[in-house]
Amino acid sequence: MARTAILNVMVQAAMKAGRSLVRDFGEVENLQVSRKGPGDFVSAADRRAEEIIRAELTKARPTYGLLMEESGETPGEDGQHRWIVDPLDGTTNFLHGIPVFAISIALERQGQIVAGVIFNPVMDELYTAERGRGAFVNDRRLRVAARTALPDSLIGTGLPFLGRGDHGRALKELRYVMPEVAGVRRIGAAALDLAYVASGRLDGFWEHSLNPWDIAAGILMIREAGGYVSDIDGKDTMLETGSVVAGNEFIKAQLQKLLKSAAE
């Protein structure tokens, strides 16, 4: 797969930050057995990865704006382009020595996501997508799963935790979804959940209360792999509302119907 110059910039930034995270992840595994634990160290690892990505992207496109998880929004002189970056999606997994986390970088042009990279450095899985050019993992083209029936489908979701999200809604949605599907998975990194839908590992996915940097790259990934993504109401406002439901045409529609029933 021939990558454009802009996607190469994003890939290089993700891979450089990934090397830093892999080194830090090795230290986290050692810190698990300490009394203090790895919490402070992981926060520093997150910031280091973000600074690496910021430096790489800014060097290549100094006029573009930035929206980053740790440092917030930095307006750009360009006004038309914005990087949306999560330097470590799956922080809790990382904190506990679970090798399921990713770097997510998206490029927004005039309000539309036009390129995305999701990189799990421990598994060495690099997901890439550009608008109109398809989605790939390590240069293999992606397609969403072809299953059309919920009883055959594996569905991903996210669950609220201490001090975050609507616990009652999550439990009610699970009560509606679990009896209808082959299984529900909570992977712990929304960017990877969306990449897994794009690659067919998951048949569908839903979650609420997400941030733009969690989902921007993954939304494009799924669409370029032939899938469908919207908010829970079927609108294209995921970056604003933070709610997402995704899958192929059939699974997304059925999953969305269940979620709407749960909300009634």
Side-chain angles (χ1 to χ4, degrees), residues 4 33 53 63 74-75 86 93 136 179 184 206 223 239-240 261:
T4 62
V33 298
I53 295 168
T63 63
T74 306
D86 192 341
N93 286 347
F136 300 82
V184 176
W206 92 95
R223 288 174 171 168
L239 298 185
E240 292 77 37
S261 295

Side-chain angles (χ1 to χ4, degrees), residues 173-194:
E173 288 178 344
L174 284 170
R175 283 200 301 272
Y176 273 76
V177 174
M178 286 192 302
E180 304 295 331
V181 302
V184 176
R185 296 290 181 268
R186 198 273 198 252
I187 289 168
L192 284 176
D193 282 308
L194 296 173

Side-chain angles (χ1 to χ4, degrees), residues 81-233:
H81 294 86
R82 181 173 70 159
W83 302 111
I84 303 176
V85 177
D86 192 341
L88 176 54
D89 185 44
T91 306
T92 304
N93 286 347
F94 190 99
L95 176 70
H96 288 270
I98 298 171
V100 183
F101 56 87
I103 294 157
S104 177
I105 306 173
L107 176 61
E108 184 182 56
R109 177 179 297 137
Q110 296 178 327
Q112 291 199 325
I113 306 301
V114 296
V117 169
I118 298 170
F119 181 43
N120 180 337
V122 174
M123 296 183 179
D124 195 29
E125 290 187 338
L126 176 68
Y127 294 87
T128 59
E130 289 185 272
R131 192 173 179 210
R133 295 173 63 92
F136 300 82
V137 57
N138 296 348
D139 296 332
R140 177 175 62 81
R141 194 175 187 97
L142 298 180
R143 295 296 298 175
V144 293
R147 296 179 188 90
T148 59
L150 281 178
D152 301 326
S153 298
L154 185 65
I155 306 297
T157 191
L159 296 174
F161 49 91
L162 181 65
R164 289 284 302 275
D166 187 333
H167 293 221
R169 177 178 62 188
L171 291 171
K172 189 175 182 184
E173 288 178 344
L174 284 170
R175 283 200 301 272
Y176 273 76
V177 174
M178 286 192 302
E180 304 295 331
V181 302
V184 176
R185 296 290 181 268
R186 198 273 198 252
I187 289 168
L192 284 176
D193 282 308
L194 296 173
Y196 289 174
V197 172
S199 66
R201 287 178 173 171
L202 291 174
D203 297 285
F205 173 76
W206 92 95
E207 190 171 352
H208 301 274
S209 305
L210 292 165
N211 295 298
W213 46 80
D214 298 319
I215 58 177
I219 288 169
L220 179 67
M221 207 80 59
I222 290 172
R223 288 174 171 168
E224 288 298 318
Y228 292 76
V229 192
S230 73
D231 65 17
I232 301 298
D233 294 321

Side-chain angles (χ1 to χ4, degrees), residues 20-69:
S20 174
L21 286 178
V22 167
R23 287 193 297 270
D24 288 338
F25 185 66
E27 291 300 315
V28 166
E29 292 180 298
N30 293 330
L31 288 167
Q32 283 296 333
V33 298
S34 73
R35 179 178 295 272
K36 184 178 180 184
D40 293 339
F41 183 86
V42 171
S43 296
D46 200 340
R47 289 193 297 272
R48 271 193 294 274
E50 181 165 294
E51 284 310 307
I52 289 169
I53 295 168
R54 176 190 288 275
E56 290 293 308
L57 297 180
T58 302
K59 180 173 68 176
R61 297 292 189 275
T63 63
Y64 286 14
L66 292 140
L67 176 62
M68 310 186 88
E69 182 184 17

